[in-house]
Amino acid sequence: MLRINELKLPLNHPEPALREAILARLGIQDADLVDFSVYKRSYDARKKAAIVLIYSIDAEVRGEAAVLARLKHDQHVMPSPDVEYKFVQVGKPAPGTPRPVVVGTGPCGLFVALVLAQMGLNPIILERGKIVRERTVDTFGFWRKRKLNTESNVQFGEGGAGTFSDGKLYSQIKDSNHHGRKVLTEFVRFGAPEEIMYVSKPHIGTFRLVKMVEQMRAEIIRLGGEIRFETRVDDVLVEESGGVRQVVGVRLASGEEIATRHLTMAIGHSARDTFQMLYDRGVYIEAKPFSIGFRVEHPQSLIDVCRFGPNAGNKLLGAADYKIVHHASNGRSVYSFCMCPGGTVVAASSEEGRVVTNGMSQYSRAERNANSAIVVGITPDDYPGHPLAGIDFQRELESRAFVLGGGTYDAPGQLMGDFVKGRPSTEFGSVTPSFRPAVHLTDLATSLPDYAITALREAFVAFDKQIKGYYKEDAVLTGVETRTSSPIRIKRNNDDLQSLNTRGLFPAGEGAGYAGGIMSAAVDGIRVAEAVARAMAAK
């Protein structure tokens, strides 16, 4: 099998043109092309009137060795790499070894559990929230009736925070072992559209994610895993001998104890009480950078035209996204994060008396507005103190947002033009906000630190040079975005992925500071599952 990269064709090329382009690139006759498939398809939209599709193709040809020899100087033609997932080869655990325990059922926890179950290691999975269908009812109830369930919401429950998101399945992580391919393959098996295997920016959307999560749960159980919902871990049991700390179990909120010597904590970026518990138990934790800002809504049609020009609306391109960054004069970086084309801004609170925003979209990306977090990077120097000081900082900003929004879980909002000019907003313009329960117009100047407000005001104007029309007077800002990533890192060893100072504890995924999004979290879950399997087999 041959891999052909950088095969370029016009956006609206006829179907036979792809086969013809393969033949021309390889210099072979039609009869010598046995079969081919699209490995990856992206696009180049720098010239809006002449958008180009860029393909990576796997082709089966007659006389493959001769073709490779003839094209040995063509860096875009090579043998197709083997991307099939290979399970780590380890021995069986010693008789009597307690089962591995996985805490959390976000993308990371689910893939830890799935791979362990596929290896016959019968994991026990503990989730503080509800099954995904019941969680969806609770979450929609909060959006519609302002009734917050602190254990079942956008942050907590089966599927993790990624369930109520755009369902993006792309990442910039290094993935030499092709673990990302394993993630995509499993997602397709559990109900995702097959196109995620080859489009450059695959996404699934919330409703499809719900069904996939249910199918993954059923497979884990079928393979011998055990999943307990509404089961919060309140303590990690650790024994110390000869200066070595070793996990020996967990204690649940019910008081029940479960023995294990292999505990994966895939708890997500909002499990603040669990972070505190681990810190109190002496697990090594350090503060890390994250970002703060607002959700910004524009008409999706504006973004489509800005990005695709006369090709706006083309089905192959779909709803346009964007990625922008500005280095402000005060030294702060401002950038777009978690851009949701044709989506909605959602209430993502998990604690009473605090307002948090996030973005979500369905597979169709057909809603009226585009939304993105526009955020300012901050570091532990901005919230000095103990390793959990970033959590205190987040809580302070979320409490401010609650008050600015009227104290009813409405989000504080402001029109972009008013924000830049430093005046309160009193009525909406052409952009209707999508956030529910509602957006309360106010002045966002006090919602974030002064350095962030200054950088954001400068950036919104500067972004207009990158996307013409981005600085739109009546675009809607909704506050606040504080959960861009975990404010802490539960440090682990690079070789065995166990906690720096607690054997048997495997910090994993976004909450531990080792991922950022569905794909990177799932890939980290696979890596951690492999590490757990190796540790269980060690003599």
Side-chain angles (χ1 to χ4, degrees):
M1 191 77 73
L2 300 181
R3 170 71 53 79
I4 309 169
N5 293 319
E6 294 293 312
L7 196 61
K8 299 180 180 181
L9 290 169
L11 173 62
N12 295 311
H13 69 79
E15 186 174 342
L18 182 55
R19 185 179 183 92
E20 294 167 3
I22 295 170
L23 297 174
R25 173 64 68 84
L26 297 180
I28 61 175
Q29 299 298 312
D30 186 80
D32 293 327
L33 179 56
V34 178
D35 195 13
F36 71 91
S37 61
V38 176
Y39 181 78
K40 190 68 68 179
R41 186 189 71 208
S42 59
Y43 59 80
D44 182 346
R46 287 175 293 181
K47 296 180 179 179
K48 299 180 180 63
I51 294 176
V52 174
L53 295 179
I54 306 172
Y55 291 92
S56 289
I57 299 293
D58 284 328
E60 181 182 354
V61 302
R62 293 188 175 91
E64 177 182 313
V67 173
L68 281 173
R70 178 164 47 81
L71 299 175
K72 62 182 179 181
H73 298 301
D74 188 339
Q75 62 179 336
H76 298 308
V77 179
M78 63 195 72
S80 295
D82 182 3
V83 298
E84 184 177 355
Y85 180 71
K86 308 293 192 301
F87 288 95
V88 295
Q89 299 301 308
V90 295
K92 293 183 179 181
T97 301
R99 295 164 69 180
V101 171
V102 180
V103 181
T105 58
C108 181
L110 284 173
F111 269 89
V112 175
L114 178 65
V115 172
L116 289 176
Q118 289 172 337
M119 296 181 73
L121 295 175
N122 304 327
I124 299 172
I125 303 94
L126 307 175
E127 168 58 55
R128 68 188 296 169
K130 298 182 180 180
I131 62 173
V132 69
R133 295 281 173 177
E134 294 179 12
R135 175 194 180 197
T136 300
V137 171
D138 291 336
T139 301
F140 280 37
F142 174 51
W143 295 345
R144 293 167 181 162
K145 301 178 182 179
R146 299 178 172 87
K147 185 178 180 181
L148 176 63
N149 183 333
T150 57
E151 295 294 312
S152 181
N153 46 62
V154 166
Q155 310 295 350
F156 298 140
E158 186 180 22
T163 304
F164 297 95
S165 71
D166 184 62
K168 298 176 188 67
L169 299 178
Y170 46 94
S171 175
Q172 296 179 334
I173 59 172
K174 294 181 180 179
D175 188 20
S176 58
N177 292 320
H178 307 291
H179 286 160
R181 198 71 177 174
K182 163 77 168 173
V183 174
L184 296 177
T185 300
E186 296 291 3
F187 278 161
V188 169
R189 183 160 73 100
F190 295 126
E194 289 193 10
E195 69 181 38
I196 70 170
M197 299 297 297
Y198 62 84
V199 296
S200 61
K201 295 181 179 180
H203 74 284
I204 301 176
T206 289
F207 287 164
R208 292 198 179 202
L209 278 166
V210 167
K211 296 177 182 178
M212 286 167 44
V213 166
E214 291 177 323
Q215 293 298 316
M216 290 186 73
R217 180 215 311 161
E219 178 68 358
I220 291 167
I221 293 172
R222 186 187 72 80
L223 293 171
E226 175 187 344
I227 305 181
R228 302 191 194 181
F229 294 100
E230 300 181 66
T231 304
R232 191 179 71 240
V233 172
D234 275 1
D235 202 359
V236 173
L237 308 179
V238 178
E239 289 183 353
E240 187 165 349
S241 176
V244 177
R245 291 161 47 88
Q246 169 68 50
V247 167
V248 294
V250 295
R251 181 179 295 116
L252 309 180
S254 65
E256 179 187 357
E257 294 184 0
I258 300 175
T260 186
R261 297 179 68 84
H262 302 89
L263 173 64
T264 298
M265 299 298 286
I267 51 181
H269 60 38
S270 293
R272 293 164 169 172
D273 50 357
T274 307
F275 295 157
Q276 184 69 55
M277 177 270 290
L278 292 171
Y279 182 65
D280 291 343
R281 295 296 168 268
V283 174
Y284 183 84
I285 294 176
E286 64 183 19
K288 62 173 280 293
F290 60 101
S291 300
I292 56 174
F294 305 131
R295 279 277 154 182
V296 182
E297 290 189 272
H298 290 84
Q300 182 62 49
S301 57
L302 182 152
I303 303 300
D304 289 343
V305 171
C306 288
R307 291 280 284 112
F308 299 146
N311 288 297
N314 186 288
K315 288 185 178 180
L316 282 179
L317 300 175
D321 62 3
Y322 60 79
K323 186 176 182 180
I324 47 182
V325 63
H326 173 69
H327 299 289
S329 56
N330 68 356
R332 300 285 174 168
S333 292
V334 184
Y335 63 97
S336 58
F337 172 81
C338 186
M339 196 274 160
C340 297
T344 55
V345 180
V346 300
S349 300
S350 58
E351 295 179 333
E352 293 181 356
R354 297 189 171 100
V355 165
V356 186
T357 63
N358 197 4
M360 184 185 87
S361 64
Q362 302 301 342
Y363 174 72
S364 63
R365 289 178 166 174
E367 297 297 330
R368 180 186 306 173
N369 293 345
N371 79 79
S372 175
I374 300 297
V375 293
V376 179
I378 60 175
T379 73
D381 290 338
D382 295 308
Y383 45 91
H386 56 84
L388 305 187
I391 296 173
D392 298 335
F393 187 65
Q394 288 176 324
R395 282 174 165 157
E396 178 188 348
L397 300 182
E398 293 163 13
S399 296
R400 286 190 207 177
F402 182 76
V403 173
L404 282 171
T408 61
Y409 292 108
D410 290 353
Q414 193 172 9
L415 305 191
M416 183 179 287
D418 292 336
F419 174 76
V420 169
K421 295 168 185 174
R423 64 193 183 201
S425 294
T426 56
E427 61 180 354
F428 296 108
S430 64
V431 180
T432 301
S434 59
F435 181 94
R436 296 291 179 270
V439 173
H440 177 77
L441 285 176
T442 183
D443 186 347
L444 290 171
T446 61
S447 65
L448 299 175
D450 289 344
Y451 59 77
I453 297 296
T454 298
L456 286 164
R457 283 174 172 160
E458 180 182 316
F460 287 136
V461 176
F463 285 154
D464 202 67
K465 296 179 181 178
Q466 301 179 44
I467 301 176
K468 192 61 179 176
Y470 191 89
Y471 179 64
K472 181 176 172 59
E473 291 277 343
D474 61 354
V476 177
L477 315 182
T478 308
V480 289
E481 179 94 12
T482 54
R483 312 278 182 96
T484 53
S485 66
S486 181
I488 60 114
R489 179 173 286 112
I490 308 172
K491 289 273 289 191
R492 65 193 188 192
N493 296 304
N494 292 328
D495 53 353
D496 61 12
L497 306 190
Q498 298 184 50
S499 162
L500 284 186
N501 69 342
T502 308
R503 302 298 299 169
L505 176 63
F506 295 81
E510 193 160 349
Y514 289 97
I518 293 173
M519 178 59 79
S520 60
V523 167
D524 197 58
I526 295 173
R527 294 183 63 227
V528 168
E530 293 172 346
V532 170
R534 291 189 184 99
M536 292 184 69
K539 303 301 183 183

